[in-house]
Amino acid sequence: MKPTIAPFPAARPRRTRRTAALRALVRESRLSTDDLIWPVFVRDGEDVEQPVPSMPGVSRLSIDRVAKAAREAESLGIPAICLFPYTDPALKTEDCAEAWNPDNLTNRAIRAIKTAAPGIAVMTDVALDPYNINGHDGYVVEGEIVNDESVTALVRMALAQADAGADIIGPSDMMDGRIGAIRSALESAGHKDVAILSYAAKYASAFYGPFRDAVGASGALKGDKNTYQMDPGNSDEALRLVERDLAEGADMIMVKPGMPYLDICRRARDAFGVPTFAYQVSGEYAMLKAAAANGWLDGEKVMLESLLAFKRAGCDGVLTYFAPEAARLLNG
Ligand SMILES: NCc1[nH]cc(CCC(=O)O)c1CC(=O)O
């Protein structure tokens, strides 16, 4: 679309900015509670709420507290909650078998949420890092993160989550071929209606630091994730990966991190027009919270502005640790 504008003074763009009412009339993008997916950290225990130091306002919650949080999210109008487990280090192994244990933290939390808040969609993460003794998203064999063996494990993990009642499976591992493998396994297992939100364009980013603390993977991680997550310098590659994941059966796609990658959100939305999400990751949350805590930024305003930016960039929604806080403001 070619912008049309009359010459000054016929055109005075300030006319439509003059009052709040006029600005509301011409606003192109809007943030609503419908746009929010809330990532939460699950830990064992009962009635436990353990703060994550690098993410002020975020805690690891025991399953009973997660269920309560889901009920609260549902009443705030948040459509989906996404689960990340903080796994007991004693359960981390080389073969990551805890990842497909039907009674692992994530799977128990799914069932608890389905009972407590049946209206909210439950999304899960598919990657081996919370269960892996070396902190990687795939198996490590002689120093290499091996692809195909990892996909086999990821499929088992996804099936266990679907069995537990997950509505949306979110593969965040960046192995090749995992979307197709998960999709056909779900289909064969009778889970034809379980959706896949693929972390299609996930970058090897330093903005994940606080998250790795939250799930207890920082200490375990040896090396970096550069051989499977994307190079931050690439943009065309993101489009190829989105196209591939859609062709393999993803229903929705994600760009991650969020704020530094809004150009990728826009390109993906324009190229494919499919449900597109961004993940405003832990480091982005930590930055805004830290600046607000110091009085350097207005916390509420930057939160809402940053979330609106995802909508403007073409996203249908955003995974954000701000979800309940933002929803409370949006509900006024
Ligand atoms: N595969 C695990 C995973 N799933 C979501 C995040 C990051 C989320 C965040 O930083 O908020 C990560 C971390 C990583 O890839 O190391």
Side-chain angles (χ1 to χ4, degrees):
M1 180 179 56
K2 191 177 169 329
T4 306
I5 187 160
F8 177 84
R12 288 183 183 270
R14 289 184 57 187
R15 282 182 203 124
T16 50
R17 293 182 210 135
R18 192 171 55 83
T19 68
L22 291 168
R23 291 191 293 274
L25 275 177
V26 301
R27 188 164 301 130
E28 298 170 32
S29 301
R30 278 192 175 75
L31 180 68
S32 98
T33 55
D34 288 340
D35 304 319
L36 305 171
I37 299 177
W38 184 23
V40 297
F41 299 109
V42 193
R43 56 154 295 153
D44 57 14
E46 183 122 356
D47 208 20
V48 185
E49 198 161 332
Q50 176 187 37
V52 178
S54 50
M55 300 179 73
V58 172
S59 292
R60 302 177 186 125
L61 306 176
S62 54
I63 289 176
D64 53 318
R65 294 281 186 116
V66 168
K68 245 175 77 186
R71 260 203 310 272
E72 190 197 344
E74 191 179 29
S75 68
L76 286 167
I78 295 170
I81 193 163
C82 181
L83 302 174
F84 293 98
Y86 171 78
T87 307
D88 179 350
L91 294 173
K92 296 186 187 193
T93 56
E94 200 114 351
D95 71 356
C96 308
E98 182 64 10
W100 52 88
N101 175 355
D103 289 318
N104 70 17
L105 276 176
T106 296
N107 294 332
R108 277 187 285 141
I110 296 169
R111 292 193 292 264
I113 294 171
K114 284 291 158 191
T115 308
I120 200 163
V122 181
M123 173 172 168
T124 53
D125 193 70
V126 177
L128 300 180
D129 53 335
Y131 312 99
N132 208 342
I133 199 143
N134 51 58
H136 277 289
D137 295 15
Y139 285 142
V140 182
V141 179
E142 289 167 15
E144 187 190 331
I145 291 88
V146 294
N147 194 85
D148 302 9
E149 296 83 344
S150 300
V151 170
T152 306
L154 295 164
V155 166
R156 295 178 78 173
M157 181 177 182
L159 282 175
Q161 295 170 347
D163 287 343
D167 299 290
I168 305 169
I169 302 283
S172 73
D173 53 281
M174 289 298 277
M175 297 299 124
D176 290 323
R178 89 276 206 218
I179 300 299
I182 292 171
R183 172 53 72 214
S184 74
L186 288 172
E187 198 68 31
S188 316
H191 292 302
K192 62 180 172 36
D193 292 328
V194 172
I196 298 178
L197 200 180
S198 164
Y199 289 61
K202 175 170 176 180
Y203 287 84
S205 171
F207 284 99
Y208 307 147
F211 172 95
R212 290 179 192 166
D213 297 339
V215 298
S218 318
L221 183 61
K222 296 189 183 78
D224 56 45
K225 301 193 176 184
N226 296 349
T227 68
Y228 48 106
Q229 298 180 347
M230 278 181 65
D231 189 302
N234 292 355
S235 172
D236 293 340
E237 184 190 7
L239 297 191
R240 294 197 292 275
L241 296 184
V242 169
E243 181 168 25
R244 176 198 64 180
D245 286 2
L246 291 170
E248 289 184 16
D251 304 282
M252 307 173 262
I253 60 103
M254 192 201 296
V255 174
K256 176 182 174 193
M259 283 163 61
Y261 295 86
L262 290 177
D263 57 321
I264 308 299
C265 298
R266 171 50 66 194
R267 284 195 77 185
R269 150 66 52 184
D270 287 349
F272 301 103
V274 298
T276 301
F277 294 82
Y279 198 142
Q280 184 180 49
V281 300
S282 57
E284 302 174 56
Y285 175 86
M287 281 196 306
L288 298 180
K289 279 288 181 190
N294 277 290
W296 298 335
L297 290 174
D298 179 324
E300 288 185 353
K301 285 190 174 150
V302 291
M303 167 178 73
L304 293 177
E305 183 179 334
S306 67
L307 293 172
L308 178 61
F310 292 106
K311 299 296 300 292
R312 196 194 60 239
C315 292
D316 296 277
V318 49
L319 284 91
T320 176
Y321 302 97
F322 287 120
E325 219 180 316
R328 267 180 227 111
L329 286 176
L330 291 168
N331 291 336

